[in-house]
Amino acid sequence: MPKKVDHEARRREISEALWRITGSRGLDAASLRDVAAEAGISLGRLQHYFRTRDEMLIFALRHINQLAADRIRARIEALAEEPTPREVLRACLTGMLPLDDNSRIGVLVGAAYYARAVHDATLRAEARNGIPQLGAFFADQLRRAAERGELPPERATEDQAMLLISVADGLASYVLLEVHEPQAAVRLLDLHLANLFGDAAEGRAPAGE
């Protein structure tokens, strides 16, 4: 009986070969032929799973975004049984930082995608796809915190939610550039949360300490 091939698993393996090339040489170096060689398969076999380079790029971007989402979900699930909105936000935001090898390659590959997406409408639409949903989720957490008396109500806004995303993205870039060490980025993130939640004014210690 012929061996059954898990096509989805094979596509993920090809995506991971693409990420390895991207992490060491950049996304532009990841041709179909180079990715096939990195994955240890023939070009013809790769094209059985991805007919074009763009198709491969889109799948790989979705896959790495899903891994990032899974990593953040695991952080949230590791919290207390009923985490506060602030704890949920911190888990999400630290999950967006390159704090270990797995998250670093994810952020590095993401940065390569975003640079290419500036001039590629299809990739740009895919790259920005999850941002509105993430902003809405963060805004909902801020509103919950305000309802619990943990956040000044005037700060529970969509603008503040988008600022949180921007802070995490900026810190992630600086870690990749070695402007900040990972733990320094976490400290700065905690400082931003402390300012947002009013710790300095009320003498409270930031969450996570």
Side-chain angles (χ1 to χ4, degrees):
M1 176 180 291
K3 184 179 180 180
K4 186 176 181 179
V5 177
D6 186 335
H7 295 284
E8 194 69 10
R10 186 57 58 85
R11 289 188 179 95
R12 290 194 294 266
E13 290 170 5
I14 293 169
S15 295
E16 289 159 13
L18 167 66
W19 301 341
R20 290 193 293 273
I21 293 174
T22 300
S24 60
R25 289 184 279 153
L27 192 60
D28 288 340
S31 68
L32 287 174
R33 188 175 300 278
D34 288 336
V35 173
E38 177 67 27
I41 60 177
S42 68
L43 177 59
R45 175 58 59 183
L46 183 147
Q47 290 176 312
H48 177 73
Y49 298 103
F50 299 109
R51 292 168 296 176
T52 67
R53 185 171 185 268
D54 285 347
E55 190 177 302
M56 177 181 68
L57 292 176
I58 292 294
F59 180 91
L61 178 59
R62 289 174 180 169
H63 182 28
I64 206 162
N65 284 342
Q66 183 60 55
L67 290 178
D70 291 344
R71 186 168 62 247
I72 291 171
R73 188 177 298 108
R75 281 178 171 271
I76 295 173
E77 291 173 352
L79 297 173
E81 186 173 339
E82 294 186 13
T84 66
R86 179 170 175 173
E87 289 171 335
V88 172
L89 286 169
R90 187 179 189 273
C92 292
L93 292 163
T94 53
M96 295 167 66
L97 300 178
L99 302 180
D100 55 30
D101 289 342
N102 287 335
S103 56
R104 186 180 188 281
I105 190 63
V107 174
L108 184 62
V109 171
Y113 268 94
Y114 300 153
R116 181 181 175 86
V118 171
H119 304 290
D120 185 321
T122 301
L123 203 56
R124 183 165 61 250
E126 187 68 34
R128 71 188 184 193
N129 183 49
I131 296 174
Q133 293 96 320
L134 182 60
F137 177 73
F138 280 9
D140 182 63
Q141 294 301 311
L142 292 175
R143 284 190 290 269
R144 289 186 59 233
E147 290 168 0
R148 292 160 56 102
E150 299 165 354
L151 178 77
E154 66 273 13
R155 298 181 185 175
T157 66
E158 293 182 3
D159 286 346
Q160 288 292 348
M162 292 306 297
L163 282 173
L164 285 172
I165 296 173
S166 299
V167 167
D169 282 343
L171 289 172
S173 297
Y174 288 158
V175 173
L176 290 183
L177 293 171
E178 299 182 351
V179 174
H180 296 311
E181 293 293 326
Q183 291 312 309
V186 173
R187 180 180 61 79
L188 290 170
L189 181 60
D190 280 333
L191 178 61
H192 182 76
L193 286 172
N195 290 333
L196 176 62
F197 278 77
D199 291 340
E202 300 182 20
R204 296 194 299 268
E209 290 191 355

